[in-house]
Amino acid sequence: MEEEEEEARALLAGGPDEARSGIPAASRALSALCDPSHLAHRLLVLLLMCFLGFGSYFCYDNPAALQTQIQRDMQVNTTKFMLLYAWYSWPNVVLCFLGGFLIDRVFGIRWGTIIFICFVCIGQVIFALGGIFNAFWLMELGRFVFGIGGESLAVAQNTYAVSWFKGKELNLVFGLQLSMARILFSRPVSGDLISLPLFMYQSESLPSSACVWAALLPASHPQAPFQLSSSEFYSEFAFSGSTVNMNLMGWLYSKIEASLGSAGPTTLGATLLIGGITCILSLICALALAYLDQRAEKILHKEQGKTGEVIKLTDIKDFPLPLWLIFIICVGYYVVVFPFIGLGKIFFIEKFGFSPQAASLINSVVYVISAPMSPIFGLLVDKTGKNIIWVLCAVTTTLVSHMMLAFTMWNPWIAMCLLGLSYSLLACALWPMVAFLVPEHQLGTAYGFMQSIQNLGLAVISIIAGMILDTRGYLFLDVFFIACVSVALLSVVLLYLVNRARGGNLNYSTRQREEMKLSHTE
Amino acid sequence: MTPRLPAAEVAPHVLVWGAPPGCAPSPMLLLSLLLSLAPSGLRGEETRQVYLEVPGWPDRPQNLLHIRAVGPNSTLHYVWGSLGPPAVVLVATNTPHSVLRIDWTRLLSPEPEGGLAVLPKDSIQFSSALIFTRLLEFDGSDSAEPPGKPYAPYPLDEFSWNNITDSLHPATLSATFRGYPKHDPAGAFANGSLAFRVQAFDRAGRPTRPPRLLHTADTCQLEVALAGASPRGNHSLFGIEVATLGQGPGCPVIQEQRSIDDEYSPAVFQLDQLLWGSPPSGFVQWRPVVFSHEQADRGSALSCRASPLHPTLARALPRSSVVRAFFGPQQSYCTFNLTFGASTGPGYWDQHYLSWSLLLGVGPPPVDALSPLILGIMAVALGTPGLLLLGSGLALLLRRKPPSEYRSIT
């Protein structure tokens, strides 16, 4: 009721269109699709938000899908090839701290989104031009520009989602949307998956919403705080085109090669340009979204969305030891998943004799599995608590999976499925722990810092992985990854011990947390 | 003055080099026809004294190389020759005192049977031969049927080879046979050559040059390098035809071994082997990879496909005097083709260079093992968290023991 009155007032005070039509506002109802407060309209907006990130996610993994072609046409070894991923991560070492600030204070959510997507488009075009002009440095520059836009886009996407869906019946659609998005497209490799500052303003809902939110983390990367009420979930929709990208780009390249008559940097550039059309699609969505958001602001008198993120770098010195251990686990874990997948296609072709298509498929199975499993694991961790034990399980499973891939000739599907499961589980269990360790006002800084060193680790390890591969081969690379996982494993064990020694609450079961909350309120 | 005929015992002009330490890879591959007899009781040696001898006279073409690897209980003789197609005869004896006898008159005649012998005859445990008969070329642009339509091959018995003494490197125990066609109307080899670099080893080791095949004192390495020759098409794929003597009715089978270890040959998980006898008393071993740059880095690696061995009549192949001299007349050989590269990706067209290596030896082939570095890293990576888990688990268990003395008031 209240909303309808608000709507009527807004219409009366609205633009010249409404006044000219002369129809009384009360008797004129907007159609469901045009009514910003109606679910149908918000679903349309949701769809637009999903496609907002599609271009960025699709183009992120273009290098992995075209690794053979890039290495052949641009005459680069694996070390230089991995620079394409490293350059994507470099800007985000810094930008993860600035994303919220840029959206809140400098650009506003609408212009911010459009600007970031323009960076994505321009970056992809420069990347493609690097191919056409046969200049690898231009490709690296393109990936750098692409990275500036791509990671900050996540913040924007999340802020939009909060602004449109907070307080509404989104939990009805989130599960469905999330699973659909995941099954259709899998998440690309990116440090952005990891970086999510969670702001839980209502601490009594902290554990449950933290766990479920963390379940959604792998599918999204909001960088902004958002409001959670005790019964609401919020999910970001990440459309990542990774599986589609892996299979589509190779096919597209061969088609262009057939039409141009020869393989070469020009063919590569043309393929990348065509792949960049998805970024144009995202730009159109951003413009549409900006228009709809502005219209909704006029009609509903709602404010432009804000990230509300507060970053204070001086808070870093206050971080407790368990938090630093969590940072180490985060870096040590994710550097063995993403660079491995980036380089995995040739590994499966050479060692196990897969065809290129089968190798692409198995390479992306980690993401495909995380789509349905993330909510399930999120609920599991939510119900049982004991986060550290789950993190331990996830890290150990990854260790086993890498050992299987390195030292046996067993069917790699087993190992990759295990990797996908443990990757989902870790995200659900690890990220909420940060919220247990730092006060709310430091949460933004904590997550921002986590994302920053994550990107730093990914950038550096990507290059090292390329170098190791060129000189020592895949076995040594896998052993190197096993060493990284073992560092994460060591940190988990230390975290358990430190937590236990200090009587911390990281490993409480849900029941214990409830009891603690009750005893606090008494 | 009539030319002195060689004595039955030892050729008058023998250049002998001692056995320096160290090893240098890049052997030249001479085609040798391998004829394996039933070897028995071959004992591998840790180190050998290696002597490189070029029998012959200074004023005559020197196209025979005799490598004698002497161990405490056995001797290996590798006789590499470019009389006819490049070939190697490999003989293992159970005494350190066996010698090679060359009857030059017979060897250089059209009927060379008996021209080569290793004495004493009853000390021979194993003998075998390998011949490289033809250099093949295919039109790789037609990818429908790899490797493609074949061009006319270059028979390697119609190549003219250099004097082996000019390319002898005693320090690295290696020598290079370099040749080009005698009759080259198209001028394909005007600036090019086909080189076979032979390298012997006096101890086990692994060269720094890819594919870094592990060698022992019982092996020698051969590297075939095609450089500078003009291909007959834009996407020419080269290959080589190798012949060996079959044992018994059938031909041996090339074993493709897949392993987890690509430490020394990045992204190449396969090792191809041709074994003589069972248990193997001799072998040829190679990695199915060919390099198209001199630096032999990973970006220049091409695939190398071997066809299965099939029997071929002797008269269909170029005849090798060296093999016939040692083994007598043969009716049929077992041949297989190796094709280098694929129609897409890096290829000969990049730098007009191809290099392929193989290892040839007696006894069972060397087996790669994980390097100590990998084992060390795994031990630390698994051991440290494991020990910590175990230790903390024990500590926590032990801490629970003392009962609490506190009794609650209620």
Side-chain angles (χ1 to χ4, degrees):
Chain A
M1 257 329 276
E2 203 181 358
E3 285 175 339
E4 287 168 34
E5 285 177 6
E6 208 183 18
E7 188 181 354
R9 257 183 274 126
L11 284 172
L12 283 172
D17 287 330
E18 283 81 1
R20 255 206 313 270
S21 66
I23 301 168
S27 62
R28 175 187 155 176
L30 294 167
S31 74
L33 214 54
C34 296
D35 176 2
S37 59
H38 203 279
L39 179 64
H41 182 90
R42 282 187 280 121
L43 284 181
L44 171 69
V45 168
L46 180 63
L47 197 66
L48 285 176
M49 279 196 286
C50 295
F51 279 100
L52 202 63
F54 178 72
S56 156
Y57 302 153
F58 182 89
C59 294
Y60 172 85
D61 252 339
N62 276 351
L66 294 172
Q67 182 181 359
T68 324
Q69 290 87 337
I70 291 177
Q71 285 197 265
R72 183 185 67 214
D73 292 340
M74 306 300 294
Q75 309 265 317
V76 289
N77 58 9
T78 319
T79 315
K80 291 199 80 178
F81 168 78
M82 287 307 275
L83 281 176
L84 294 176
Y85 281 102
W87 278 113
Y88 181 91
S89 295
W90 286 124
N92 300 298
V93 177
V94 170
L95 271 180
C96 54
F97 291 115
L98 295 179
F101 171 77
L102 288 173
I103 286 181
D104 288 347
R105 305 274 183 85
V106 181
F107 297 127
I109 180 63
R110 293 176 214 130
W111 276 112
T113 313
I114 295 173
I115 288 173
F116 292 142
I117 291 206
C118 284
F119 267 101
V120 165
C121 291
I122 293 172
Q124 181 70 5
V125 167
I126 298 178
F127 184 42
L129 287 178
I132 292 177
F133 294 134
N134 198 9
F136 196 72
W137 65 268
L138 202 56
M139 286 183 127
E140 291 173 40
L141 178 68
R143 290 290 286 181
F144 182 77
V145 174
F146 183 80
I148 294 177
E151 295 288 303
S152 316
L153 194 59
V155 186
Q157 231 175 329
N158 190 47
T159 313
Y160 259 130
V162 179
S163 142
W164 276 84
F165 296 99
K166 178 178 75 104
K168 301 282 191 282
E169 65 279 65
L170 192 61
N171 47 338
L172 291 175
V173 295
F174 100 85
L176 184 67
Q177 273 287 5
L178 181 63
S179 300
M180 265 180 56
R182 276 305 191 62
I183 289 164
L184 279 180
F185 310 100
S186 29
R187 212 49 168 71
V189 173
S190 172
D192 54 30
L193 285 184
I194 318 311
S195 60
L196 292 184
L198 295 177
F199 260 58
M200 319 285 192
Y201 291 130
Q202 284 159 303
S203 48
E204 69 262 28
S205 68
L206 185 67
S208 55
S209 23
C211 291
V212 178
W213 173 242
L216 307 176
L217 291 186
S220 61
H221 52 177
Q223 214 172 357
F226 55 91
Q227 300 266 351
L228 285 186
S229 74
S230 53
S231 61
E232 282 162 357
F233 305 122
Y234 156 76
S235 75
E236 169 80 52
F237 310 97
F239 261 55
S240 97
S242 189
T243 316
V244 177
N245 160 65
M246 291 279 186
N247 293 301
L248 189 65
M249 292 308 276
W251 171 85
L252 190 63
Y253 183 92
S254 54
K255 279 278 170 283
I256 294 181
E257 184 182 352
S259 71
L260 282 182
S262 71
T266 323
T267 321
L268 188 64
T271 315
L272 291 170
L273 264 184
I274 294 181
I277 290 178
T278 53
C279 298
I280 305 289
L281 177 71
S282 295
L283 181 61
I284 295 172
C285 289
L287 291 167
L289 210 48
Y291 166 71
L292 287 176
D293 193 61
Q294 190 180 31
R295 182 168 170 275
E297 184 182 335
K298 259 194 309 191
I299 295 177
L300 297 180
H301 281 301
K302 86 178 163 72
E303 280 187 2
Q304 207 177 136
K306 293 216 177 291
T307 67
E309 192 176 85
V310 176
I311 301 270
K312 265 176 66 183
L313 287 177
T314 48
D315 285 342
I316 290 177
K317 61 175 169 45
D318 295 331
F319 287 161
L321 173 66
L323 188 62
W324 288 101
L325 287 173
I326 290 181
F327 290 161
I328 295 176
I329 296 169
C330 179
V331 175
Y333 183 84
Y334 286 104
V335 297
V336 313
V337 174
F338 300 143
F340 175 72
I341 294 176
L343 293 169
K345 193 169 159 189
I346 298 186
F347 176 63
F348 294 117
I349 293 174
E350 293 293 340
K351 179 169 179 185
F352 298 98
F354 280 26
S355 70
Q357 292 82 357
S360 293
L361 197 61
I362 196 178
N363 216 19
S364 52
V365 82
V366 171
Y367 305 130
V368 172
I369 286 185
S370 71
M373 295 311 293
S374 297
I376 297 175
F377 281 136
L379 284 169
L380 179 68
V381 178
D382 186 9
K383 290 288 171 239
T384 60
K386 296 215 169 286
N387 292 46
I388 301 187
I389 301 296
W390 288 118
V391 171
L392 187 68
C393 288
V395 176
T396 312
T397 312
T398 307
L399 186 66
V400 167
S401 157
H402 267 290
M403 282 179 62
M404 276 171 63
L405 285 170
F407 294 108
T408 71
M409 299 288 284
W410 297 342
N411 195 338
W413 280 98
I414 308 173
M416 292 304 275
C417 290
L418 280 180
L419 196 64
L421 289 172
S422 58
Y423 164 74
S424 314
L425 180 58
L426 187 103
C428 297
L430 186 72
W431 291 85
M433 286 204 281
V434 179
F436 297 151
L437 284 171
V438 295
E440 278 168 23
H441 61 92
Q442 288 183 345
L443 213 47
T445 314
Y447 279 112
F449 188 75
M450 201 155 163
Q451 185 183 13
S452 171
I453 55 168
Q454 174 104 43
N455 278 293
L456 188 62
L458 278 177
V460 169
I461 299 288
S462 295
I463 301 174
I464 293 180
M467 277 166 49
I468 290 179
L469 188 54
D470 276 336
T471 53
R472 297 279 204 147
Y474 279 100
L475 179 66
F476 199 84
L477 182 65
D478 247 334
V479 167
F480 170 71
F481 284 150
I482 289 174
C484 292
V485 176
S486 125
V487 167
L489 186 60
L490 207 59
S491 305
V492 178
V493 176
L494 282 174
L495 181 66
Y496 180 82
L497 294 173
V498 169
N499 182 57
R500 202 185 164 92
R502 293 191 183 180
N505 65 346
L506 288 180
N507 210 30
Y508 279 174
S509 70
T510 317
R511 206 162 44 99
Q512 281 169 307
R513 292 228 172 90
E514 298 290 334
E515 284 168 17
M516 250 186 54
K517 256 189 299 190
L518 287 172
S519 67
H520 275 166
T521 53
E522 270 164 22
Chain B
M1 181 166 162
T2 55
R4 272 193 62 200
L5 292 175
E9 296 302 315
V10 156
H13 180 84
V14 175
L15 306 157
V16 179
W17 280 263
C23 50
S26 72
M28 260 210 323
L29 191 59
L30 282 182
L31 282 182
S32 39
L33 195 60
L34 273 169
L35 180 68
S36 46
L37 303 173
S40 58
L42 273 175
R43 288 177 50 187
E45 305 280 2
E46 292 287 320
T47 61
R48 289 179 185 271
Q49 287 256 322
V50 178
Y51 302 97
L52 298 180
E53 303 167 352
V54 180
W57 290 271
D59 55 341
R60 298 282 291 272
Q62 284 139 22
N63 41 26
L64 213 61
L65 172 70
H66 173 219
I67 300 177
R68 189 161 58 97
V70 181
N73 293 308
S74 61
T75 309
L76 298 181
H77 298 267
Y78 304 90
V79 183
W80 298 87
S82 52
L83 290 160
V88 63
V89 171
L90 163 63
V91 182
T93 64
N94 60 1
T95 161
H97 305 295
S98 54
V99 292
L100 177 74
R101 186 198 61 186
I102 306 176
D103 185 345
W104 284 100
T105 330
R106 285 228 196 118
L107 185 62
L108 298 174
S109 73
E111 305 290 325
E113 287 77 10
L116 278 179
V118 169
L119 305 172
K121 268 216 163 73
D122 51 1
S123 67
I124 295 178
Q125 301 286 303
F126 167 73
S127 60
S128 154
L130 206 58
I131 311 178
F132 296 86
T133 46
R134 294 188 179 102
L135 179 68
L136 310 168
E137 192 175 350
F138 303 92
D139 180 12
S141 55
D142 172 23
S143 53
E145 202 189 287
K149 216 163 62 75
Y151 295 107
Y154 298 98
L156 291 178
D157 60 343
E158 285 167 26
F159 271 51
S160 86
W161 300 95
N162 62 338
N163 273 346
I164 191 67
T165 30
D166 302 334
S167 61
L168 217 43
H169 281 278
T172 54
L173 296 177
S174 64
T176 306
F177 288 83
R178 188 165 280 115
Y180 50 87
K182 283 182 202 151
H183 310 289
D184 190 12
F189 279 79
N191 293 326
S193 64
L194 180 64
F196 291 84
R197 274 157 80 193
V198 179
Q199 183 171 19
F201 305 108
D202 58 346
R203 70 192 66 233
R206 197 186 289 274
T208 50
R209 185 171 161 77
R212 303 198 70 189
L213 291 165
L214 176 68
H215 58 77
T216 62
D218 299 333
T219 63
C220 84
Q221 190 174 341
L222 176 69
E223 181 185 337
V224 187
L226 176 68
S230 306
R232 281 175 270 194
N234 275 343
H235 280 271
S236 274
L237 301 179
F238 282 93
I240 204 158
E241 187 187 48
V242 187
T244 168
L245 274 169
Q247 331 136 249
C251 286
V253 172
I254 295 180
Q255 292 178 357
E256 293 178 4
Q257 283 189 336
R258 297 198 81 95
S259 81
I260 60 163
D261 194 357
D262 71 330
E263 212 187 333
Y264 300 107
S265 55
V268 182
F269 290 94
Q270 193 177 319
L271 194 65
D272 288 351
Q273 283 176 356
L274 183 62
L275 300 174
W276 288 285
S278 166
S281 42
F283 64 91
V284 183
Q285 186 187 69
W286 68 93
R287 286 224 181 246
V289 64
V290 174
F291 295 101
S292 60
H293 286 200
E294 278 229 44
Q295 308 95 291
D297 54 358
R298 209 187 126 222
S300 66
L302 319 176
S303 64
C304 159
R305 252 174 283 277
S307 69
L309 273 85
H310 53 269
T312 317
L313 291 174
R315 57 172 182 269
L317 293 172
R319 289 163 22 135
S320 165
S321 307
V322 171
V323 174
R324 285 183 66 196
F326 188 84
F327 292 102
Q330 296 301 315
Q331 292 308 314
S332 80
Y333 299 95
C334 294
T335 55
F336 64 98
N337 291 350
L338 286 154
T339 319
F340 304 142
S343 47
T344 55
Y348 182 73
W349 43 84
D350 290 331
Q351 284 201 353
H352 282 201
Y353 180 84
L354 282 180
S355 152
W356 174 69
S357 305
L358 68 71
L359 200 70
L360 166 71
V362 301
V367 174
D368 266 332
L370 292 178
S371 72
L373 183 61
I374 284 188
L375 293 173
I377 294 179
M378 285 306 296
V380 172
L382 294 181
T384 320
L387 283 175
L388 192 61
L389 262 174
L390 210 61
S392 49
L394 280 174
L396 288 172
L397 275 174
L398 290 172
R399 281 246 303 256
R400 278 193 202 187
K401 285 264 179 76
S404 160
E405 308 209 339
Y406 173 76
R407 282 173 49 200
S408 66
I409 296 174
T410 54

